[in-house]
Amino acid sequence: MSEDSETREIDSLVTSLRRHLERRQRAGIRILPNEMPNKQRTMPAIGGQEKAPQRTAGDLFSEPSPALGAKTLEELRAGIGDCRLCKLCSGRTNLVFGVGNPHARLMFVGEGPGRDEDLQGEPFVGRAGQLLNDIITKGMGLKREDVYIANVVKCRPPDNRNPEPDEVAACEPFLKKQIDLVKPEIIVGLGKFAVQALLQSKAPITKVRGQWHRYHGIKLMPTFHPAYLLRNPADKKLVWEDIKKVIKELRGENG
Ligand code: URA
């Protein structure tokens, strides 16, 4: 196909897509990816395996999820429903939304649920969670219920592998909306994935931890993930340094 005819074909696709969306809008149709029947949500992939379509909650080519218009965390959770936006949905037991004070001054953001979290439907309840609880209670003198805890991806990656970019992209709008609703003063980003997602950067955690950053105006302190600390206990002292800065900021002692 020549470049000219390719361009014409793309133009005509865009025009018909625009007309189609305008017609749907005029007709008041608001069909959402996670409201579609299962059959429509999957498509056959090369090799015969079913594959989840690559969409995000705020996708350009589908209606943005109404969950993103939620006014409360409960509405957001209800809007996310039985989410099918990425392939992690097929392996999950529970979608792990978030937990804690809906008006917390301090929010922790982790990577994604592990086995215990998937089974219980609550973030940070396994061994890494126990360490996070110690940081919150013994280190900061707070209660777990005082803070808000969420993850970048809400469903467990198989065998606790790292979340893949399409999975992060699909789920990220929900984390953003959680932050928007909780309106914390401070976010502690736990580990590389959370911090890279929040900072929209590929900077290594070792470079960014321990210094204040901003996430849409909110103070963000990146630090190591508790699971990393379980494997590298010598680095707990670095996390303690980071957490002391957070405590000072919460107490208004940073200038
Ligand atoms: N690790 C995370 O990043 N999040 C959890 O909820 C549990 C372990």
Side-chain angles (χ1 to χ4, degrees), residues 80-94:
I80 294 173
D82 178 33
C83 181
R84 302 272 151 190
L85 287 175
C86 84
K87 56 192 178 299
L88 294 181
C89 66
S90 58
R92 72 170 174 237
T93 312
N94 286 297

Side-chain angles (χ1 to χ4, degrees), residues 131-176:
L131 187 48
L132 179 61
N133 285 348
D134 287 348
I135 292 171
I136 295 167
T137 56
K138 297 180 188 158
M140 309 186 90
L142 298 171
K143 295 200 207 83
R144 184 171 156 104
E145 312 83 79
D146 293 333
V147 304
Y148 193 82
I149 306 173
N151 284 308
V152 174
V153 295
K154 311 287 186 231
C155 299
R156 182 193 182 199
D159 302 319
N160 294 348
R161 67 156 166 72
N162 294 332
E164 292 174 355
D166 59 311
E167 296 156 0
V168 172
C171 216
E172 227 175 10
F174 298 136
L175 173 65
K176 285 189 181 156

Side-chain angles (χ1 to χ4, degrees), residues 84-142:
R84 302 272 151 190
L85 287 175
C86 84
K87 56 192 178 299
L88 294 181
C89 66
S90 58
R92 72 170 174 237
T93 312
N94 286 297
L95 186 148
V96 180
F97 176 67
V99 73
N101 180 345
H103 308 293
R105 296 178 64 204
L106 176 61
M107 179 162 175
F108 288 89
V109 176
E111 177 179 320
R115 185 172 161 274
D116 296 302
E117 291 77 19
D118 173 62
L119 292 174
Q120 295 183 43
E122 183 170 328
F124 284 99
V125 290
R127 280 182 70 222
Q130 189 50 56
L131 187 48
L132 179 61
N133 285 348
D134 287 348
I135 292 171
I136 295 167
T137 56
K138 297 180 188 158
M140 309 186 90
L142 298 171

